[in-house]
C-alpha cells in the first residue's frame, strides 16, 4: 500500500515537472515570438490612436475597449486556427504568406516615407462620435479591419519563431502572445490617449508643481505621438525587410543573406559593443531592403489606388454636395416646395 502510494506521488511529481517544463517552454516561446513581432506591435500602437481622434473624452476608452475586443477575437477565433492548421498540414505556405505580410509592411512604411518627403500627410480617419453611435460603430469596424491585417502578421511572425515546437505547445504560445500583445498594445494606446486629459487635470490644480507637470504632459504628448509614428515607420521597414530577406533565403536564394552574415560577423567580435554592431548591421540592411522593396511596390500599386481613390472622392463629393443642407440641390428642392 505504502509502495503504491509512493509510486503515485512519484507519478504526480513527474507530471508536475512536465507541466512546469511545458509552462517554461510556453513562456520562453512567447517571449521569443513577441520580441520578433515587436516591429508590428509598435506600428499597431502607432496606428490605433487615430481612431479616437475627435471623440468626446467619455467615449475614448469605450472605443478602445471595443477595438481591443475585436482584436483579440481576430487573433483567437480567426487567425490562430488558420495559422496552426497551415503549420501542421501545409507548412510550406507559411513562408510565402509571411513574405506577403512583409511586403505589406514594406509598402506601408515606404508610403509614409514617400508622403513625408513630398510634404504630404496621410489622410486622417473620420473622427469618431462626431455623428453619433452609427459613426462610432463605423470607425470601430474600420479599426478592427486594419487590426486584422496587423494581427495576422503578428501571429505568423510569432509562429515562425516557434515552428519547431509541438502542435499544442505552438497553440499555447500563440494564445499567450495574442492575449499579451493585445493587452500591451491597447493598454498603451489607452494611456497615450488619456495622458493629455491627465495633464489638463493636473494643470487645473492650485499646486505649482502639478501645473508644471500637467502643462508639460499636454505639450509633450504631440511630440510623443509623432515619435511613436516615426519609430513605427522604421520598425515596419526593418521587420518587413527582414521578413523578405529571410523568405528569399528559405526559398533558396542565399547571396544577400550570406553577405549580411559576413558583414555582421566582421564586427561581432568587437569588444563590448560587438553584439550591438552586428544587430545594427543586420537591422540597417533589412531597413534599406525594406524601403527599396516598399518603394518598388508603391510605384506599381500607388497609381492604381490613386485612380480608384480619386474616382471615389469625386463620387463622395457629388453625394455630399447634393445632400448638404446649404447645397444647390437642396435649395432647388426647397424652392420647388415653396419652403
Amino acid at each position: 500500500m505504502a509502495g503504491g502510494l509512493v509510486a503515485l506521488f512519484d507519478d504526480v511529481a513527474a507530471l508536475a515537472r512536465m507541466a512546469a517544463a511545458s509552462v517554461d517552454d510556453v513562456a520562453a516561446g512567447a517571449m521569443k515570438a513577441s520580441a520578433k513581432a515587436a516591429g508590428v506591435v509598435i506600428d499597431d500602437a502607432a496606428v490605433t490612436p487615430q481612431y479616437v481622434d475627435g471623440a468626446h473624452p467619455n467615449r475614448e476608452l469605450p472605443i478602445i475597449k471595443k477595438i481591443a475586443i475585436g482584436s483579440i477575437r481576430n487573433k483567437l477565433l480567426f487567425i490562430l486556427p488558420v495559422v496552426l492548421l497551415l503549420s501542421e498540414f501545409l507548412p510550406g505556405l507559411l513562408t510565402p504568406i509571411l513574405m506577403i505580410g512583409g511586403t505589406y509592411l514594406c509598402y506601408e512604411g515606404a508610403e509614409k516615407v514617400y508622403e513625408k518627403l513630398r510634404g504630404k500627410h496621410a489622410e486622417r480617419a473620420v473622427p469618431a462620435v462626431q455623428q453619433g453611435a452609427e459613426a462610432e460603430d463605423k470607425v470601430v469596424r474600420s479599426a478592427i479591419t486594419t487590426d486584422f491585417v496587423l494581427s495576422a502578421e503578428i501571429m505568423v511572425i510569432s509562429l515562425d519563431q516557434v515552428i519547431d515546437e509541438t502542435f499544442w505547445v505552438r497553440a499555447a504560445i500563440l494564445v499567450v502572445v495574442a492575449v499579451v500583445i493585445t493587452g500591451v498594445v491597447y493598454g498603451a494606446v489607452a494611456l497615450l490617449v488619456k495622458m493629455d486629459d491627465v495633464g489638463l487635470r493636473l494643470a487645473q490644480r492650485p499646486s505649482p508643481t502639478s501645473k508644471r507637470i500637467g502643462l508639460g504632459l499636454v505639450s509633450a504628448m504631440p511630440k510623443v505621438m509623432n515619435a511613436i509614428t516615426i519609430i513605427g515607420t522604421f520598425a515596419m521597414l526593418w521587420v518587413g525587410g527582414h521578413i523578405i530577406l529571410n523568405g528569399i533565403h528559405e526559398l533558396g536564394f542565399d547571396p544577400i543573406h550570406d553577405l549580411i552574415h559576413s558583414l555582421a560577423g566582421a564586427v561581432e567580435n568587437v569588444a563590448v559593443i560587438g553584439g550591438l554592431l552586428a544587430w545594427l548591421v543586420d537591422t540597417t540592411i533589412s531597413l534599406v531592403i525594406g524601403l527599396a522593396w516598399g518603394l518598388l511596390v508603391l510605384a506599381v500599386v500607388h497609381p492604381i489606388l490613386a485612380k480608384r481613390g480619386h474616382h471615389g472622392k469625386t463620387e463622395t463629393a457629388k453625394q455630399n454636395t447634393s445632400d448638404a443642407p446649404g447645397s444647390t440641390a437642396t435649395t432647388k428642392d426647397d424652392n420647388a416646395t415653396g419652403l
Side-chain angles (χ1 to χ4, degrees), residues 92-113:
L93 287 179
L94 288 175
T95 295
I97 291 173
L98 200 60
M99 291 180 71
I100 292 171
T103 297
Y104 170 78
L105 290 178
C106 294
Y107 167 77
E108 285 287 309
E111 186 179 39
K112 291 181 180 181
V113 172

Side-chain angles (χ1 to χ4, degrees), residues 26-142:
V26 170
M31 289 181 64
K32 179 182 177 183
S34 299
K36 194 63 178 180
V40 192
V41 172
I42 293 171
D43 184 52
D44 205 356
V47 166
T48 306
Q50 68 177 313
Y51 292 102
V52 294
D53 182 37
H56 189 278
N58 291 338
R59 295 302 306 159
E60 288 175 343
L61 292 183
I63 291 172
I64 292 171
K65 181 181 177 181
K66 288 181 181 179
I67 299 172
I69 291 172
S71 176
I72 198 69
R73 188 167 57 239
N74 282 342
K75 292 182 179 75
L76 296 182
L77 298 185
F78 302 111
I79 300 168
L80 178 61
V82 171
V83 298
L84 283 174
L85 289 173
L86 285 176
S87 69
E88 191 69 14
F89 300 107
L90 294 170
L93 287 179
L94 288 175
T95 295
I97 291 173
L98 200 60
M99 291 180 71
I100 292 171
T103 297
Y104 170 78
L105 290 178
C106 294
Y107 167 77
E108 285 287 309
E111 186 179 39
K112 291 181 180 181
V113 172
Y114 176 70
E115 289 176 346
K116 185 68 176 178
L117 292 176
R118 289 183 62 199
K120 177 183 176 182
H121 299 287
E123 294 182 7
R124 299 172 67 85
V126 177
V129 207
Q130 287 193 353
Q131 300 176 12
E134 185 177 345
E136 177 180 316
D137 290 341
K138 183 177 180 180
V139 170
V140 169
R141 286 194 300 271
S142 175

Side-chain angles (χ1 to χ4, degrees), residues 204-260:
Q204 292 170 356
R205 291 185 176 181
S207 168
T209 302
S210 295
K211 285 185 177 180
R212 278 199 306 272
I213 295 173
L215 292 174
L217 284 174
V218 172
S219 63
M221 285 316 298
K223 298 175 184 176
V224 170
M225 297 304 296
N226 186 54
I228 289 174
T229 301
I230 294 172
I231 292 170
T233 300
F234 279 104
M236 278 192 293
L237 293 171
W238 159 49
V239 174
H242 192 73
I243 290 170
I244 296 299
L245 289 174
N246 278 349
I248 292 173
H249 170 62
E250 290 182 17
L251 292 176
F253 185 78
D254 298 329
I256 301 177
H257 182 270
D258 293 343
L259 175 63
I260 294 173

Side-chain angles (χ1 to χ4, degrees), residues 4 22 58 109 145 281 288:
S22 296
N58 291 338
T145 301
V281 167
V288 171

